[in-house]
Amino acid sequence: MTVNLFVILCSLVLWVDNGVHSLQKPVRKFPEGFKFGAATAAYQVEGAWNEDGKGPSIWDDLTHTHPSPISDGSTGDVAADTYHLWKSDVELMKQLGLDFYRFSISWSRILPTGFADQINQKGIDYYDNLITELLKNKIEPMVTLYHWDLPSSLQKLGGLANPLIVEWFEQYARVVFDKFGDKVKYWITINEPKQICYEGYGSTAKAPQLNMTGIAEYICAKNVLLSHAKVYHLYDENYRYKQNGQIGISVSCTWYEPASDTIEDHQAAEDARQFDWGQYIHPIFSKTGDFPLSLKNNVRLRSKEQGFLRSRLPVLSSEEIVYIRGSSDFLGINSYTTKLTYRDASLEGMYPVPSYMDDMSAVMVKDASWPQAQSSWLQSVPWGFYKILTQVRYLYDNPAVWITENGWSTSGGLIDNDRVKYYRTYLSALLDAVEEGSNIKGYTAWSLFDNFEWMSGYADKFGIFEVDFKDPKRKRTPRKSAHVYKEIIRSRSLDMNYEVDDKTVLAPTQVVEKDYVEGY
């Protein structure tokens, strides 16, 4: 396979000694106008899964399966109950000092069948009340149209493997823009296409567990890109001039570092990056458009070897390439961790054939020295975060970037020093990239609350606010990280020496006893 020398040179240029980006400067200021927020997703926090006319989603279907595929057997039926606690939750956001709140709309809460002929007014009212309350408290709503909870009825028709999803998504978006567009100025079309397509359609790691790897995730990828572009153009042509908002997409980005300095491992890392996030960023943000060349070549060659008459990766026509290219006002980056990547010919046959992983032909591992979160996939590697931001700047002409998710999981407890350290080191890496010219507009902590963490249920705690899931009132309590994040937002600076007394964190007045956190 031909090695992309440019990418190897970029990797060498971007190589920064791990120690440099772990240096802790006492106080670092964020740029003028930089925004701070926190995020949630509808299925993970709302609850009220069948209340007030809401229709079922693919996650309702999956979590109600017996035996349960969720590790702790739980569901999102109640979750953090933000459907009922939205007003006091906004009060928490206000006390935290958030500039914006990123949340998603449940498609089936406002369109129970998935189609626009039946609009659920109670669902519309819920989101309108939430948005109005946010604005009343000077918190900007950042709204994600699709964060994985596809209406069940649409999945029965093939979901994101059906090209008609492009039309269905446009119809849904039109309803949302009509109802909320005069109040919402930041839109995200789709959250984490790779997780939707590879984990949901190519494997059993997410709903709808289609498990048709090597074929389904590529069909899904094309349909996701066209759906995103369709809604972008809908907004651009019909709503932007009167609503004056911006619209983008959020892509999960893991940094894949060569495990050694061999040509093979550099190529394996490059292939992994292009399969993981280049597959979705390149068609939108590159000057040429289309899927990345290494992705196309890998799938084409493997398909031919396996006896397929043509590549399993669908072709984007010249018209589709033009339609998708440039269809974003900003790039949302969800980033958490880094993996070491290598290529080992002796491991031939370790992946199913055909499959996404076999097409990539890369092996990903973690370094045992990296700090480990509660979630098995998550390790703290801030220099990898820096490299993602820097490579996006180099490869895609420095687009406007919002960090739309970044966070750390624990097993619970209010004294979450590991999360505090994670946030600080990742924000320091972000500032390194900003100081070198990266056009980063804001940062979003994942997550505001402990939530239903997909296949892990409630075992992995990502919230800066603890939620007591045993309490019918779903009591919220700020963790130490909430206090530290509040100070970062207040001061617009990163002070590695700022300390919060553990006794303050554990004080009873910090616990939500009634409507909000008194004295916080």
Side-chain angles (χ1 to χ4, degrees):
M1 182 178 295
T2 301
V3 178
N4 189 330
L5 293 178
F6 171 74
V7 170
I8 291 179
L9 287 173
C10 278
S11 295
L12 293 173
V13 170
L14 294 178
W15 177 262
V16 178
D17 180 77
N18 298 1
V20 172
H21 285 276
S22 65
L23 287 177
Q24 297 186 353
K25 301 177 183 179
V27 179
R28 305 183 69 182
K29 298 296 291 185
F30 287 89
E32 187 73 25
F34 191 88
K35 304 294 185 183
F36 292 94
T40 62
Y43 185 80
Q44 293 181 274
V45 297
E46 281 183 2
W49 79 277
N50 62 351
E51 291 185 39
D52 292 341
K54 177 186 174 296
S57 76
I58 56 175
W59 278 95
D60 294 315
D61 296 341
L62 183 64
T63 58
H64 294 156
T65 301
H66 298 285
S68 174
I70 309 303
S71 62
D72 60 3
S74 62
T75 72
D77 290 1
V78 179
D81 200 21
T82 62
Y83 185 77
H84 297 107
L85 300 175
W86 59 271
K87 193 164 188 177
S88 56
D89 285 344
V90 174
E91 177 64 28
L92 292 183
M93 299 177 213
K94 178 183 179 181
Q95 293 185 29
L96 190 61
L98 295 184
D99 297 312
F100 66 94
Y101 173 48
R102 181 191 171 209
F103 65 95
S104 73
I105 289 177
S106 169
W107 188 335
S108 62
R109 192 176 293 284
I110 65 172
L111 301 180
T113 67
F115 297 105
D117 61 322
Q118 295 183 33
I119 300 176
N120 179 27
Q121 187 58 44
K122 289 186 177 180
I124 297 293
D125 292 343
Y126 166 67
Y127 292 111
D128 190 60
N129 288 335
L130 172 60
I131 291 167
T132 300
E133 189 70 11
L134 288 167
L135 293 173
K136 177 183 172 183
N137 287 279
K138 297 182 170 54
I139 302 167
E140 194 78 41
M142 179 179 282
V143 178
T144 303
L145 293 174
Y146 183 67
H147 198 131
W148 306 358
D149 49 350
L150 190 73
S152 300
S153 54
L154 300 187
Q155 187 57 48
K156 291 176 182 176
L157 296 172
L160 286 151
N162 187 336
L164 289 175
I165 193 68
V166 178
E167 296 179 21
W168 302 336
F169 189 53
E170 180 196 28
Q171 292 164 13
Y172 159 58
R174 190 182 293 274
V175 171
V176 175
F177 294 151
D178 284 340
K179 299 296 183 181
F180 312 122
D182 59 332
K183 298 178 181 179
V184 176
K185 304 308 174 188
Y186 292 97
W187 298 99
I188 294 167
T189 56
I190 295 169
N191 181 75
E192 296 188 347
K194 182 262 181 106
Q195 280 66 24
I196 295 168
C197 295
Y198 169 60
E199 297 187 11
Y201 285 76
S203 75
T204 60
K206 297 285 189 296
Q209 294 191 315
L210 201 61
N211 201 26
M212 294 186 65
T213 187
I215 297 174
E217 62 264 87
Y218 299 136
I219 296 172
C220 172
K222 177 175 180 176
N223 290 338
V224 160
L225 287 166
L226 289 171
S227 296
H228 159 78
K230 186 78 168 179
V231 169
Y232 171 85
H233 289 293
L234 169 69
Y235 188 83
D236 193 50
E237 296 164 9
N238 296 280
Y239 294 93
R240 190 189 299 275
Y241 72 95
K242 55 185 176 181
Q243 296 181 356
N244 197 31
Q246 297 181 37
I247 186 165
I249 188 170
S250 285
V251 180
S252 63
C253 297
T254 294
W255 180 255
Y256 296 94
E257 181 73 14
S260 77
D261 203 31
T262 64
I263 291 176
E264 291 77 14
D265 286 359
H266 274 280
Q267 186 64 58
E270 165 63 6
D271 288 346
R273 293 192 288 268
Q274 296 301 347
F275 271 73
D276 185 60
W277 39 276
Q279 183 171 178
Y280 303 99
I281 296 178
H282 195 86
I284 299 171
F285 290 92
S286 72
K287 291 181 179 179
T288 58
D290 203 358
F291 289 121
L293 185 61
S294 61
L295 171 71
K296 294 199 297 182
N297 286 343
N298 280 29
V299 181
R300 176 179 55 80
L301 291 172
R302 297 298 281 172
S303 298
K304 184 177 181 181
E305 291 170 3
Q306 294 157 5
F308 288 87
L309 297 180
R310 58 183 61 86
S311 176
R312 288 175 277 103
L313 179 69
V315 172
L316 292 174
S317 69
S318 57
E319 293 80 11
E320 289 169 337
I321 290 171
V322 171
Y323 192 68
I324 294 167
R325 191 177 66 231
S327 62
S328 241
D329 298 321
F330 61 87
L331 171 61
I333 291 180
N334 297 353
S335 188
Y336 291 86
T337 197
T338 289
K339 301 296 178 190
L340 296 177
T341 314
Y342 65 94
R343 183 151 286 146
D344 188 343
S346 69
L347 297 177
E348 183 76 22
M350 71 177 295
Y351 299 123
V353 176
S355 71
Y356 169 94
M357 291 303 299
D358 181 68
D359 292 337
M360 187 194 305
S361 296
V363 182
M364 283 82 78
V365 296
K366 61 185 177 183
D367 188 317
S369 69
W370 296 341
Q372 176 66 51
Q374 166 72 12
S375 305
S376 61
W377 54 270
L378 177 53
Q379 297 80 42
S380 179
V381 195
W383 55 262
F385 184 47
Y386 163 84
K387 288 192 173 188
I388 289 168
L389 300 176
T390 306
Q391 186 158 90
V392 164
R393 180 174 82 240
Y394 282 154
L395 296 183
Y396 302 114
D397 197 25
N398 202 14
V401 167
W402 288 80
I403 306 305
T404 43
E405 285 183 27
N406 178 241
W408 183 257
S409 64
T410 68
S411 60
L414 298 181
I415 310 301
D416 55 344
N417 291 317
D418 286 352
R419 180 178 287 112
V420 169
K421 183 176 181 181
Y422 178 91
Y423 280 147
R424 284 174 165 168
T425 55
Y426 271 65
L427 282 168
S428 184
L430 180 151
L431 283 171
D432 290 337
V434 167
E435 289 172 2
E436 293 172 8
S438 291
N439 186 17
I440 305 171
K441 302 296 186 181
Y443 173 87
T444 316
W446 182 272
S447 176
L448 184 61
F449 301 121
D450 287 340
N451 53 46
F452 177 83
E453 190 53 35
W454 309 114
M455 303 303 283
S456 298
Y458 296 98
D460 297 357
K461 314 292 188 183
F462 275 91
I464 59 175
F465 281 86
E466 177 186 76
V467 176
D468 184 352
F469 293 106
K470 295 180 181 178
D471 181 355
K473 296 181 180 180
R474 294 304 194 264
K475 179 176 65 180
R476 282 94 156 103
T477 310
R479 292 192 165 101
K480 188 173 184 176
S481 56
H483 292 267
V484 172
Y485 194 44
K486 179 179 181 179
E487 176 61 17
I488 290 171
I489 297 170
R490 185 202 65 78
S491 66
R492 303 283 148 174
S493 63
L494 182 63
D495 183 353
M496 297 294 191
N497 299 320
Y498 177 77
E499 292 293 339
V500 177
D501 191 331
D502 290 354
K503 292 180 180 178
T504 301
V505 179
L506 298 172
T509 55
Q510 299 306 312
V511 178
V512 178
E513 299 291 352
K514 295 181 181 178
D515 295 328
Y516 58 91
V517 181
E518 298 178 2
Y520 172 64

